[in-house]
Amino acid sequence: MPKKATAGIMKAFSDKNGATVKINTVDHNTFQEQINNYLQGRPDDVITWFAGYRMRFFAKKGLLGDISDVWTQVGSQFSSAMKKASTGEDGKQYFIPLDNYAWAVFYRKSVFQQHGYEVPKTWDQYVALSAKMQKDNLPVAFADQDGWPAFGTFDYLNMRVNGYDFHVSLMAGKEAWDSPKVAKVFDTWKQILPYYQTGALGRTWQEGAQGLLQKKTGMYLLGGFVSQQFTNKEDLDDLDFFPFPEIDSTVGTDAVEAPIDGYMMAKRPKNEAGAKKLLTYLSSAAAEEGYLKVDPSNIAVNNGASSAGYNALQKKQQVLIAQAKSISQFLDRDADPTFASTVAIPSFQDFLKNPNNIASTLKKMEAQKKSIYSE
Amino acid sequence: MATSTAAADAPAGAGPTRRTARRKVRRWSRRDTLVVSLMLGIPTLLNILFVWLPAFTSVGLSLTSWDGIGLDQIKWVGLRNYQEIFTIYPPFWPALEHNVIWLLFFVLIPTPFGLFLAVLLDRQIKGSRIYQGAIYLPVVLSLAIVGFIWQLVYSNDQGLINELLKDVGLNPVNWLGDSHVNLWAVLVAASWRHVGYMMILYLAGLKGVDPSLKEAAAIDGASERQTFFRVVFPSLRPVNIVVIVITVIESLRAFDLVYIINGGFNGLELLSALVTQNIIGEASRIGYGSAIAVIMMLISTVFIIIYITRIFKEEPQ
């Protein structure tokens, strides 16, 4: 999370309550890699983290403090989807959501206008649009050097082909990766591979976003953070998105991928009352507004937070998320992290290299899944 | 050795002196014992604490399944981790192969090239200091920075090489993303650094070669090539051993560069990267990662044994 924005809300809390908040900033990736040791040592009282499986995992291990009493106070300000995402397997709450962002297909309005493209509603239209773009020398942007960006495409395809419930049980290890249902997802994915930018495995998402910015690519399925690369106001105003199209009309499009960031409390905080007070403040509309003023690529999750300061993209994301019936958290937050980082990344990259070997890739995934989820 | 021979050769009259000398050695004062046991004890303790204990713990953990949280969660699984690594873990065999390629490449390309540069720079050419500094510079940079620099060179869309290729009308190459190419691209980047390291070692070695040897060879009518291969190179033997050991270690622990580029996936699998993916990340599959680490340890042990037997063989001379 951006440091300046965090410092801003912590200062607002201190000013209001006369308490000082000491912020311990750790680089994002380092923090993720060391979280296990960190939580087992002497963690700070309040910790920033992600919702979903990754929070539940630590809650189950008894490393987090129960903050259900905070939720009874502030719960009314959040949607039920938010509460669900903040609840552990034991039914207690362990998480205060701060903000989220949506994954969607981003494009430049001017490019669509220039070539007369129309926003696709169905998969067939989407494939047809991709083909048209290829003819216009505008490939579909795709970048997967870091391994995780491809998760977004898989999550959406799976949720559109098989539905949200199947997606969640697949992530939880309850469905087989070598089942015909998953094979169908990859078969669908195969239809658009020819229209992708070549060399995806040697491109970071930032470079992918640069391609969209420079009008070298036609559209790009990514999270709202793509706008961080659009630093010029004119470019940002030209950026727009459409929701991932419908593949099966019986499944619909009411599932949205919108990862939530927020805060949790350590199991044994040094100052429990203070920590809970801080969490209560962080859940407030005022805190979220203050935070987003400094980091405008995300959107607030408190129902009471004002959207007056939002740019058009934020407003549109807010509507998309609010209308969603189910919200997924991204593969590496919904699935076992071991599976995501040691199996899903190389397997998806394998698929992108050799799409026709997918059957054997899925078999290997299933064998490893059984081993990892049984541990 | 020299003293004992001298003592044995000494005439009988020297007997008493010899006995006192021996007694002196035998009868250690309390202080001597203390000093010796401290001098031996502390390093031994540190060695056990920081080398043997972790090594044996890894071996032990490699036979378990553990997510790294709570010691009571450690479950004994026997050889299951190994069995799975060898059978259902696709990145393992490529990683092993890449480590071997890395080692062979390092021994065959940057090491001789470093020697070549050292020989050139040893000739007191003009500006030799500047060349030395320039070639050695990458060694001072951390591999993290080296990785960043090369990412700028190799980047698919914005990289230096691809821009140049496009300028001359050639197709750009996906240097870091194509799994047939990226290992070699990374090896070039790693060599860029290794060459400097090797050059400095050889340069130091060459400075230590007695110039009179070269002179003698020249007087005997040896050509420059002959002088180098028959006289100078053999006298570099101690340096060569150090170089080989360093090259082997560097190849086995190669990690930073591939980890920075793509985390050690897609053609850049290395054993060290697999250990990290399984242990350091959120994954926390301690047992599984330990098993890979143990395999790595066994491979390095082979080289260590070869090295140590060579060292001991030389001792009697």
Side-chain angles (χ1 to χ4, degrees):
Chain A
M1 285 193 184
K3 196 171 168 178
K4 221 169 101 190
T6 309
I9 43 172
M10 294 305 174
K11 189 176 173 300
F13 171 74
S14 315
D15 291 349
K16 221 167 101 187
N17 294 280
T20 30
V21 181
K22 212 178 103 208
I23 308 176
N24 179 5
T25 315
V26 185
D27 161 68
H28 184 87
N29 282 325
T30 316
F31 184 59
Q32 281 190 35
E33 282 166 5
Q34 297 175 348
I35 181 93
N36 274 350
N37 293 330
Y38 168 78
L39 286 176
Q40 288 183 83
R42 309 196 90 249
D44 301 286
D45 286 4
V46 172
I47 310 135
T48 171
W49 197 236
F50 315 114
Y53 183 99
R54 283 158 117 180
M55 174 274 294
R56 279 182 204 120
F57 175 76
F58 292 122
K60 198 168 91 186
K61 293 286 173 187
L63 296 172
L64 302 182
D66 173 14
I67 50 170
S68 302
D69 50 343
V70 177
W71 265 91
T72 45
Q73 275 177 55
V74 304
S76 61
Q77 300 164 37
F78 293 94
S79 69
S80 61
M82 285 300 151
K83 184 162 182 180
K84 216 162 86 188
S86 308
T87 306
E89 282 173 17
D90 55 3
K92 294 173 185 161
Q93 282 76 44
Y94 294 95
F95 186 81
I96 291 288
L98 181 79
D99 63 354
N100 64 357
Y101 58 88
W103 278 68
V105 184
F106 287 83
Y107 64 93
R108 291 195 69 141
K109 282 183 265 191
S110 58
V111 171
F112 267 48
Q113 225 159 36
Q114 187 196 333
H115 295 277
Y117 299 145
E118 267 174 49
V119 167
K121 290 266 187 294
T122 66
W123 180 248
D124 291 337
Q125 289 170 4
Y126 183 75
V127 177
L129 175 63
S130 308
K132 221 189 274 171
M133 283 181 173
Q134 194 184 44
K135 269 195 207 120
D136 295 334
N137 221 351
L138 280 172
V140 176
F142 195 66
D144 198 34
Q145 179 167 326
D146 305 299
W148 57 263
F151 291 167
T153 309
F154 175 82
D155 289 349
Y156 263 130
L157 285 167
N158 194 26
M159 290 195 294
R160 294 289 186 265
V161 170
N162 296 314
Y164 176 79
D165 293 334
F166 177 84
H167 181 66
V168 171
S169 21
L170 180 68
M171 294 297 112
K174 290 171 192 154
E175 301 283 348
W177 279 86
D178 53 356
S179 69
K181 282 188 148 184
V182 180
K184 199 178 160 200
V185 173
F186 285 95
D187 279 340
T188 317
W189 199 343
K190 254 189 228 172
Q191 296 172 25
I192 50 166
L193 290 184
Y195 309 117
Y196 275 157
Q197 229 174 337
T198 52
L201 294 181
R203 185 179 298 115
T204 62
W205 73 260
Q206 287 94 339
E207 289 169 326
Q210 285 293 323
L212 189 69
L213 173 69
Q214 293 159 12
K215 305 187 181 182
K216 285 180 182 161
T217 52
M219 54 185 174
Y220 191 15
L221 171 62
L222 203 73
F225 51 82
V226 69
S227 65
Q228 289 168 8
Q229 297 286 318
F230 287 64
T231 43
N232 188 327
K233 185 162 184 312
E234 252 169 64
D235 294 326
L236 187 63
D237 287 343
D238 193 34
L239 185 67
D240 200 355
F241 70 82
F242 58 85
F244 198 84
E246 177 183 286
I247 295 178
D248 181 339
S249 58
T250 57
V251 175
T253 57
D254 58 7
V256 168
E257 182 130 276
I260 306 163
D261 293 334
Y263 290 91
M264 352 185 257
M265 187 177 78
K267 179 75 183 169
R268 276 180 291 276
K270 279 145 250 162
N271 175 1
E272 188 173 334
K276 284 186 173 167
K277 213 165 165 186
L278 174 60
L279 287 170
T280 310
Y281 172 73
L282 289 171
S283 74
S284 72
E288 293 182 4
E289 284 165 18
Y291 178 81
L292 292 170
K293 223 177 267 166
V294 190
D295 176 22
S297 62
N298 293 2
I299 60 170
V301 292
N302 187 309
N303 291 336
S306 154
S307 57
Y310 283 180
N311 61 35
L313 272 182
Q314 281 173 301
K315 277 186 190 144
K316 209 169 160 184
Q317 282 187 60
Q318 189 189 28
V319 173
L320 181 69
I321 295 168
Q323 285 172 348
K325 227 189 243 160
S326 345
I327 294 174
S328 62
Q329 292 295 310
F330 205 63
L331 193 146
D332 66 359
R333 302 186 187 193
D334 283 328
D336 183 300
T338 307
F339 180 78
S341 58
T342 67
V343 181
I345 288 182
S347 303
F348 286 12
Q349 289 184 335
D350 250 8
F351 164 71
L352 295 166
K353 277 186 284 184
N354 308 304
N356 292 324
N357 283 352
I358 186 62
S360 84
T361 304
L362 288 176
K363 251 196 206 98
K364 286 181 207 152
M365 281 183 91
E366 177 62 13
Q368 294 178 82
K369 180 214 89 180
K370 276 186 187 140
S371 145
I372 289 172
Y373 280 80
S374 68
E375 275 176 8
Chain B
M1 258 165 137
T3 35
S4 70
T5 337
D9 291 346
T17 347
R18 201 169 121 203
R19 212 175 299 139
T20 22
R22 209 181 256 169
R23 219 175 279 149
K24 252 186 211 157
V25 172
R26 267 197 203 146
R27 219 188 291 138
W28 282 353
S29 70
R30 210 171 264 260
R31 204 164 140 244
D32 291 341
T33 327
L34 190 74
V35 169
V36 170
S37 45
L38 277 181
M39 283 171 79
L40 283 177
I42 292 176
T44 311
L45 196 75
L46 288 177
N47 193 291
I48 290 175
L49 206 64
F50 293 113
V51 177
W52 290 102
L53 196 70
F56 282 114
T57 314
S58 298
V59 175
L61 281 173
S62 74
L63 303 171
T64 67
S65 149
W66 186 35
D67 59 14
I69 297 174
L71 289 173
D72 54 330
Q73 295 292 313
I74 303 181
K75 263 188 304 185
W76 182 264
V77 296
L79 291 172
R80 196 184 76 192
N81 289 332
Y82 291 95
Q83 189 222 325
E84 288 189 354
I85 287 169
F86 293 138
T87 55
I88 64 165
Y89 191 46
F92 176 72
W93 293 108
L96 196 64
E97 188 192 324
H98 296 159
N99 269 101
V100 173
I101 292 177
W102 197 291
L103 174 64
L104 292 178
F105 189 90
F106 259 35
V107 171
L108 294 177
I109 314 279
T111 307
F113 191 59
L115 173 61
F116 175 68
L117 290 176
V119 172
L120 288 187
L121 289 176
D122 193 40
R123 304 180 149 229
Q124 320 286 334
I125 45 174
K126 228 185 198 174
S128 142
R129 284 281 160 90
I130 296 171
Y131 292 128
Q132 271 179 42
I135 298 168
Y136 190 68
L137 191 69
V139 186
V140 187
L141 301 175
S142 83
L143 265 182
I145 296 171
V146 174
F148 180 68
I149 292 173
W150 284 90
Q151 195 135 21
L152 294 179
V153 173
Y154 284 136
S155 162
N156 197 27
D157 302 346
Q158 303 157 1
L160 176 70
I161 302 181
N162 277 356
E163 287 300 323
L164 291 176
L165 284 179
K166 274 184 241 167
D167 281 350
V168 296
L170 290 170
N171 280 333
V173 177
N174 191 2
W175 296 104
L176 298 177
D178 184 336
S179 51
H180 299 292
V181 179
N182 56 7
L183 182 68
W184 302 103
V186 169
L187 279 172
V188 169
S191 302
W192 178 62
R193 189 167 181 270
H194 197 65
V195 164
Y197 200 177
M198 294 300 108
M199 179 202 70
I200 285 290
L201 286 176
Y202 275 123
L203 210 51
L206 286 171
K207 296 258 188 275
V209 174
D210 191 346
S212 59
L213 280 178
K214 281 192 238 175
E215 247 168 67
I219 290 167
D220 285 349
S223 72
E224 242 179 271
R225 252 181 90 126
Q226 284 172 323
T227 314
F228 178 75
F229 282 107
R230 301 271 173 86
V231 179
V232 177
F233 193 70
S235 66
L236 283 175
R237 205 184 141 79
V239 184
N240 278 330
I241 291 179
V242 173
V243 161
I244 289 293
V245 171
I246 287 178
T247 305
V248 170
I249 292 172
E250 290 273 310
S251 319
L252 280 171
R253 63 168 207 183
F255 165 72
D256 338 32
L257 216 47
V258 301
Y259 197 69
I260 288 156
I261 286 166
N262 69 3
F265 295 107
N266 181 35
L268 295 184
E269 294 89 353
L270 288 178
L271 291 175
S272 52
L274 298 188
V275 174
T276 311
Q277 285 163 17
N278 278 286
I279 291 187
I280 314 277
E282 254 184 280
S284 279
R285 225 180 165 193
I286 310 287
Y288 209 76
S290 301
I292 304 170
V294 169
I295 295 169
M296 240 176 110
M297 193 159 77
L298 289 177
I299 298 170
S300 8
T301 313
V302 172
F303 288 102
I304 292 167
I305 289 173
I306 294 173
Y307 171 62
I308 289 179
T309 42
R310 296 217 63 157
I311 292 276
F312 279 129
K313 250 191 211 156
E314 268 157 35
E315 201 109 292
Q317 299 171 1

